[in-house]
């Protein structure tokens, strides 16, 4: 979550180039609504935002329940002072990066946080699927078409196809059936 549109676009572009799916929010209130509606694999957040600060957002996400509290939370902010960093870490932030953005460092932090999260929850694979990609594959495993999944998840069919294509690339397969089968074998989804 980043209220500066230019910074937000640059961050999204960099993370997409690294193979991640990115959802943006321009303020803390909107970000919280997105997190609660569709829990992400990781939250990257500024401290100073309209409607709700990053600190308050972190508190609310953690208070939403154990599964939300376990989402890696990384601050990326211009507040480089020690007191701000300590405040963020005391609230439970996993990392605290300062601007200007070091995109290489950001990529390493995101990769490590996601790997640790998946290691902690026993994913027996080095393959990383986003929560949305897993969700789409689960519905495909249940025999649903992209159009049906779009209705179920409240998304566009094009978005469902994008997530399915991303999952197939990550799993190194050529069709949906193979993607579902490999994801089940790797323990990434359950049938």
């Amino acid at each position: 979550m980043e209220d500066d549109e230019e910074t937000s676009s640059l961050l999204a572009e960099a993370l997409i180039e690294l193979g991640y799916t990115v959802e943006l929010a321009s303020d803390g209130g909107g970000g919280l609504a997105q997190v609660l509606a569709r829990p992400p694999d990781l939250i990257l957040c500024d401290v100073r935002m309209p409607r709700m600060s990053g600190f308050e957002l972190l508190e609310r996400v953690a208070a939403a329940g154990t599964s939300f509290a376990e989402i890696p939370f990384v601050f990326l902010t211009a507040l480089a002072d020690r007191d701000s960093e300590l405040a963020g870490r005391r609230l439970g932030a996993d990392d605290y990066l300062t601007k200007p953005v070091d995109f290489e460092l950001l990529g390493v932090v995101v990769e490590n946080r996601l790997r640790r999260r998946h290691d902690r929850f026993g994913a027996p694979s080095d393959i990383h699927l986003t929560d949305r990609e897993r969700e789409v594959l689960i519905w495909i495993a249940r025999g649903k078409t992209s159009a049906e999944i779009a209705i179920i998840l409240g998304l566009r069919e094009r978005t469902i196809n994008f997530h399915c294509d991303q999952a197939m690339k990550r799993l190194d397969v050529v069709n949906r059936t193979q993607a579902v089968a490999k994801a089940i074998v790797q323990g990434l989804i359950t049938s």
Side-chain angles (χ1 to χ4, degrees):
M1 283 149 248
E2 168 67 53
D3 61 327
D4 178 63
E5 196 173 313
E6 185 177 342
T7 302
S8 182
S9 294
L10 287 171
L11 289 169
E13 186 178 312
L15 291 169
I16 289 167
E17 282 182 21
L18 292 172
Y20 300 108
T21 302
V22 177
E23 293 188 34
L24 301 173
S26 60
D27 64 67
L32 179 62
Q34 282 182 311
V35 168
L36 297 177
R38 293 179 306 280
D41 292 327
L42 179 138
I43 299 169
L44 182 63
C45 182
D46 196 352
V47 172
R48 287 191 221 156
M49 293 184 299
R51 293 182 52 201
M52 181 185 305
S53 75
F55 293 150
E56 186 179 356
L57 175 70
L58 174 54
E59 288 178 309
R60 290 201 181 179
V61 167
T66 306
S67 63
F68 291 99
E70 292 169 345
I71 298 170
F73 200 105
V74 177
F75 280 117
L76 180 61
T77 180
L79 296 177
D81 63 285
R82 185 173 185 273
D83 290 339
S84 294
E85 182 173 352
L86 283 171
R89 291 189 182 277
R90 283 187 178 120
L91 289 171
D94 295 287
D95 272 297
Y96 193 98
L97 304 174
T98 56
K99 297 174 188 175
V101 180
D102 178 332
F103 289 102
E104 185 176 3
L105 179 60
L106 175 63
V108 170
V109 166
V110 169
E111 180 182 345
N112 286 338
R113 287 296 165 196
L114 291 172
R115 186 179 337 106
R116 285 184 189 147
R117 180 176 190 214
H118 290 291
D119 288 349
R120 194 173 354 147
F121 295 105
S125 171
D126 287 338
I127 299 170
H128 165 74
L129 295 177
T130 65
D131 286 342
R132 182 65 77 198
E133 290 163 357
R134 282 192 296 276
E135 188 175 31
V136 168
L137 289 179
I138 289 168
W139 283 110
I140 291 170
R142 294 176 181 166
K144 300 296 182 186
T145 65
S146 290
E148 292 169 327
I149 297 168
I151 293 168
I152 292 166
L153 299 180
L155 299 170
R156 292 184 175 148
E157 184 175 352
R158 183 173 143 196
T159 303
I160 299 303
N161 290 333
F162 169 80
H163 289 295
C164 185
D165 290 344
Q166 289 297 109
M168 289 188 311
K169 285 178 190 172
R170 293 180 204 274
L171 292 164
D172 194 28
V173 297
V174 295
N175 64 46
R176 292 173 176 218
T177 304
Q178 290 174 342
V180 168
K182 189 167 183 179
I184 291 171
V185 168
Q186 295 289 324
L188 299 169
I189 64 169
T190 54
S191 56

